[in-house]
Amino acid sequence: MFSVTVRDHMMIAHSFRGEVFGPAQRLHGATYVVDATFRRATLDADGIVVDIGRATEALHAVMAELNYRNLDDEPTFASENTTTEVLARFVADRLADRARAGDLGDGARELDGLVVTLRESHVAWASYERPL
Amino acid sequence: MFSVTVRDHMMIAHSFRGEVFGPAQRLHGATYVVDATFRRATLDADGIVVDIGRATEALHAVMAELNYRNLDDEPTFASENTTTEVLARFVADRLADRARAGDLGDGARELDGLVVTLRESHVAWASYERPL
Amino acid sequence: MFSVTVRDHMMIAHSFRGEVFGPAQRLHGATYVVDATFRRATLDADGIVVDIGRATEALHAVMAELNYRNLDDEPTFASENTTTEVLARFVADRLADRARAGDLGDGARELDGLVVTLRESHVAWASYERPL
Amino acid sequence: MFSVTVRDHMMIAHSFRGEVFGPAQRLHGATYVVDATFRRATLDADGIVVDIGRATEALHAVMAELNYRNLDDEPTFASENTTTEVLARFVADRLADRARAGDLGDGARELDGLVVTLRESHVAWASYERPL
Amino acid sequence: MFSVTVRDHMMIAHSFRGEVFGPAQRLHGATYVVDATFRRATLDADGIVVDIGRATEALHAVMAELNYRNLDDEPTFASENTTTEVLARFVADRLADRARAGDLGDGARELDGLVVTLRESHVAWASYERPL
Amino acid sequence: MFSVTVRDHMMIAHSFRGEVFGPAQRLHGATYVVDATFRRATLDADGIVVDIGRATEALHAVMAELNYRNLDDEPTFASENTTTEVLARFVADRLADRARAGDLGDGARELDGLVVTLRESHVAWASYERPL
């Protein structure tokens, strides 16, 4: 199995509902350093999983939907906490949509899966892995 | 599949038995930067795999059993070398005990697995992965 | 010249005033990974610049004043943008107050200077350096 | 499942054939920071997956075949692009040959698999995973 | 003293003249992860050393002059080895030109100095520091 | 001013005398990731501060004096605590001796200074800077 990973980041505000979150129930924020991993069993004729340039642009486009925003105001997340886990799934699902739409090139339709990791600090991060 | 990872560290002395270890048969030491990853197929009602605060506390409590110690004097490891691999399993097993005992919250009983990685330097590390 | 550095982090929301900030004029947020460096020409009788444990606690106490907050609501910063540079100076000044008050131990009164670095992402950070 | 990872690097020149590569069709170069992960279900009698010293030497020997070279001149790669993915597979296959030949010790014949990751920058990397 | 640092990278081929370079006399290559630090005694009215967005663009523009190239073919470097040190000075001098030309904003004319660090691997890097 | 930095590491056991050290008064250990920075105002005729290969070998030779040892047993440190600060000075002084002895090449006699940083974990490190 092969994989290619590209990295970007976003800077957002949000708050959480639920006692488990303690002080994070207050409005605060985070820089998420985001790693998107594209997995594929075989390489294409050029010898790649996916074009790193296109993968970087696709990830950046997904980040741009959220970057420099207060996620508490985003209708997309009205019914759930924007935890690191939930945001990892959001990014992975958006990238999957783009891969299927051909934004990552024709070969990307043969991707087997995606993993998205969001690092919220030097001591905590979360991942979501899904098939494509 | 979702996962959440938290990081801590410990600083221990130890020595190894066996010619394969060369100069590491002498008493020496290590800083282990420890990453504990908690895996779960679905998120709980709060949108999390496990509470990062509780996971951090649980990992710190396990580290405290070993931190600032000479592992050659610890009865727990009397019959085996405290290699990076063995210590990764020890930390994972202790965290699994705590998860089952409810220390990580009720939701943590639905965890699917754990991965523990111990980094002994910038150029070498070991992991142990187990179901829960 | 000797120095000792300890690391912590904080997660805050804020917005900026001024066209130069572009989309960062919107309410957003950041994780700041904060490195506090304590400088001193000579070591004390124990062979240290400052006790790493006490330095870590002092840095954590300063972080706790800001962590999980919307800095737009903090009176301390009513008259200025909470840029990475401004926050680096705030943290350094607060640590200097604590060093002079003896929170870092008697020896810390002989510190020559402080440097505080705030990393806002994997590709951008800011520092403030001051004498003590 | 246990694993041990060791890190090395190499500095090579190369160019790519195919429009998808854009400016990377020109002769350029890369530092690849290479992580080789050795996986095994159980530990040997010494408590290890593989001797870290031997694993480091084996990885270094494989790197030495490519280090400080223009890969466009290497017959091994005459028929394919030396993408990060292709090089990850090359390194993994070479390490697998060495493991089977006994270069990593007798125990290494019980390895279950290998993962090789090549980091081409702080924002892009690729991996290849294979059984042994 | 304040500073702001931004990071980018470039991937180049080159070779060195001189016995001291050993195998690096052959055509090979490198990824340089480049950190550009802008230093200034006081902040401007917005509370910044330099606009991070503009600093990032300026650094990227300088990188683009060299990225994906064989530096052995660049007239700029005909009379010298393109060592990590020489390239650090080149990037710093080009950024200084841009700062003086106003590309980093009017405030950047008050910068006191620049430091440019090029990381050629996880175990080696070089810096050049200059006044402005 | 130019500088070149190379990285290595060592794994040692030790204990500290003095109440300030708390649990670190017990025998424990550390991995020190060591960065040695060589500073020089001008480059030599080859365009370098110091040969990175030779600098790496010199640092490795200094590390070998301490690596895989219990520093409590080393006569060199009989009269002082082997704190991170003290060890940074030890490494810097040993490298200065080697530079003056010509081990780093003739050009290294024109070095202006050295900085040695020892990272004891992902959240704490110490440095010592000296002229040459």
Side-chain angles (χ1 to χ4, degrees), chain B residues 113-129:
Chain B
L114 285 168
V115 188
V116 170
T117 301
L118 266 70
R119 295 176 191 272
E120 66 175 62
S121 76
H122 63 305
V123 291
W125 53 95
S127 288
Y128 176 64
E129 181 176 355

Side-chain angles (χ1 to χ4, degrees), chain D residues 108-120:
Chain D
R109 290 200 178 89
E110 289 172 41
L111 290 169
D112 290 295
L114 286 169
V115 188
V116 171
T117 301
L118 267 70
R119 295 176 190 273
E120 66 174 64

Side-chain angles (χ1 to χ4, degrees), chain B residues 17-21 81 83-86 88-89 119-120 122-130, chain D residues 1-8 35 37 39 41 43 45-52 54 56:
Chain B
R17 285 160 297 192
E19 276 183 42
V20 68
F21 296 105
N81 282 315
T83 59
T84 314
E85 295 92 320
V86 165
R89 184 178 53 196
R119 295 176 191 272
E120 66 175 62
H122 63 305
V123 291
W125 53 95
S127 288
Y128 176 64
E129 181 176 355
R130 54 161 283 171
Chain D
M1 177 64 71
F2 293 90
S3 72
V4 159
T5 304
V6 295
R7 175 170 284 188
D8 202 333
D35 295 337
T37 298
R39 310 185 68 187
L43 299 180
D46 291 313
I48 59 176
V49 165
V50 66
D51 175 29
I52 284 182
R54 277 191 157 182
T56 299

Side-chain angles (χ1 to χ4, degrees), chain C residues 97-111:
Chain C
D97 292 346
R98 286 176 176 267
R100 279 189 298 248
D103 289 6
L104 293 167
D106 285 345
R109 290 198 177 91
E110 289 173 41
L111 289 170

Side-chain angles (χ1 to χ4, degrees), chain A residues 1 3-5 7 46-47 49, chain D residues 81 83 85 123-127 129:
Chain A
M1 178 65 72
S3 72
V4 160
T5 304
R7 174 170 284 187
D46 291 313
V49 165
Chain D
N81 282 314
T83 59
E85 295 92 320
V123 290
W125 52 96
S127 287
E129 181 176 353

Side-chain angles (χ1 to χ4, degrees), chain E residues 10 33 35 42 94 113-114:
Chain E
M10 60 180 176
V33 176
D35 296 337
T42 55
R94 279 287 205 269
L114 285 169

Side-chain angles (χ1 to χ4, degrees), chain A residues 14-71:
Chain A
H14 60 171
S15 64
F16 298 138
R17 285 159 297 192
E19 277 183 42
V20 68
F21 297 105
Q25 294 175 85
R26 298 197 298 252
L27 183 64
H28 64 288
T31 305
Y32 289 112
V33 176
V34 184
D35 295 336
T37 298
F38 302 87
R39 310 184 69 187
R40 191 170 152 174
T42 57
L43 299 180
D44 72 8
D46 291 313
I48 59 175
V49 165
V50 65
D51 175 29
I52 283 182
R54 277 191 158 184
T56 299
E57 283 166 24
L59 178 59
H60 195 71
V62 172
M63 296 293 95
E65 294 182 49
L66 305 178
N67 203 5
Y68 292 122
R69 280 182 168 74
N70 177 2
L71 302 186

